[in-house]
Amino acid sequence: MHRFDIQRLHLIHSENQSLKHSFISFFNDQPPAMFCLGLNFHRETSRMTIAHYIHRLPADYDIGLIRSRARERGALWNDVPDLHFKGFLLRERGRFGAIASSYSSLYLWRTGEAFRNFLVSGRYKVVTDSFGRADIHTRFALDARRGRANDARFIYKQELSIPIDADLTAAFASEIARNHEVAEQQGIVAAIVGVDPQSWTFTRVLLSEQQPAGQGDAVAYEVLHLARPLLDSLPPASAQ
């Protein structure tokens, strides 16, 4: 390869690294635009990772086995370091709008490194040994707030596509402000909003004492067990 080509490849690599650093810094630092919009970007929140995977269950699967598994394994997660919470979740066919049954786990990790350690430490192998390898959907947390309620009986998850012509800075600010307001509502244990910058989708996660009241855009999951090592360390809804 010619000297010129080598120099050019080195330049391209440097530019790509710079772009990668700038992208990561958006979530790890406080963008000036956020201050212009009157928002404080909580530094601890900006390091969090939402992770969720789902196992589809056959129509004749004994749901009692899932409930027993959650009881047996739930306590093993109650003291896991760097984990805000893990929900052992169930959607049971014929209940709360579900047309099929599934078992899933939803996490809020304190850092991306904590999620990485979960993968490489062998904890996920326990899952694959029982159910096979599921796709793990991850999101950068934009905001996570603790509500006033304590007993999370249901988790609601909603996906919201960001329009292609949307002003992203304004969209982020709007979602963060909305999450603050939702966390203040009655019966809310915690409210989280994340973003997938590949598909440009917001993910809203709500831990609630209240069971589904009717049809809505959010998918309702019954909480079989909520491990919550660091849940109470989240900033309260009233914090700015």
Side-chain angles (χ1 to χ4, degrees):
M1 183 178 291
H2 295 297
R3 179 181 179 86
F4 173 78
D5 293 331
I6 294 175
Q7 291 176 336
R8 186 182 178 196
L9 286 175
H10 178 73
L11 177 61
I12 292 172
H13 174 74
S14 298
E15 290 175 345
N16 286 340
Q17 289 299 104
S18 178
L19 287 171
K20 179 180 178 182
H21 174 75
S22 297
F23 177 75
I24 293 174
S25 294
F26 176 85
F27 294 99
N28 289 334
D29 297 322
Q30 298 183 7
M34 291 296 182
F35 291 109
C36 295
L37 291 164
L39 290 173
N40 287 328
F41 198 74
H42 195 268
R43 189 173 185 85
E44 185 70 12
T45 298
S46 69
R47 303 172 61 198
M48 296 180 195
T49 298
I50 304 166
H52 187 207
Y53 51 84
I54 300 172
H55 308 288
R56 311 294 179 186
L57 301 176
D60 59 351
Y61 195 90
D62 183 358
I63 298 299
L65 296 176
I66 296 299
R67 296 185 181 276
S68 296
R69 180 185 177 92
R71 284 195 300 269
E72 294 166 2
R73 297 201 54 80
L76 301 177
W77 289 84
N78 288 340
D79 298 311
V80 172
D82 293 324
L83 177 67
H84 284 288
F85 68 81
K86 173 183 178 178
F88 292 76
L89 310 180
L90 173 68
R91 277 178 59 77
E92 187 174 357
R93 181 182 179 185
R95 300 191 67 204
F96 306 118
I99 62 172
S101 297
S102 67
Y103 173 55
S104 67
S105 296
L106 192 149
Y107 307 75
L108 181 63
W109 293 100
R110 190 176 71 85
T111 64
E113 182 181 7
F115 173 59
R116 172 260 183 202
N117 292 341
F118 158 71
L119 293 177
V120 304
S121 66
R123 279 188 176 271
Y124 190 56
K125 185 177 185 301
V126 176
V127 178
T128 59
D129 286 347
S130 299
F131 296 99
R133 185 171 64 184
D135 294 338
I136 303 179
H137 301 276
T138 59
R139 301 287 187 266
F140 295 103
L142 295 175
D143 190 66
R145 299 278 154 178
R146 184 178 74 251
R148 294 186 175 86
N150 190 63
D151 183 20
R153 298 174 55 227
F154 291 87
I155 285 182
Y156 299 89
K157 183 182 177 187
Q158 182 181 10
E159 305 284 356
L160 184 67
S161 295
I162 305 173
I164 193 169
D165 294 322
D167 180 326
L168 289 176
T169 303
F172 293 141
S174 177
E175 281 298 308
I176 293 170
R178 177 190 179 278
N179 198 65
H180 286 205
E181 294 175 359
V182 171
E184 291 271 15
Q185 295 177 5
Q186 184 177 359
I188 301 304
V189 177
I192 306 97
V193 61
V195 65
D196 177 0
Q198 181 175 18
S199 65
W200 292 114
T201 302
F202 287 128
T203 296
R204 299 168 176 171
V205 176
L206 201 60
L207 281 62
S208 175
E209 290 185 335
Q210 302 170 352
Q211 73 177 40
Q215 297 298 321
D217 294 334
V219 178
Y221 296 86
E222 180 184 355
V223 177
L224 302 181
H225 178 81
L226 184 72
R228 44 184 298 168
L230 299 178
L231 178 62
D232 292 338
S233 71
L234 291 176
S238 57
Q240 296 299 317

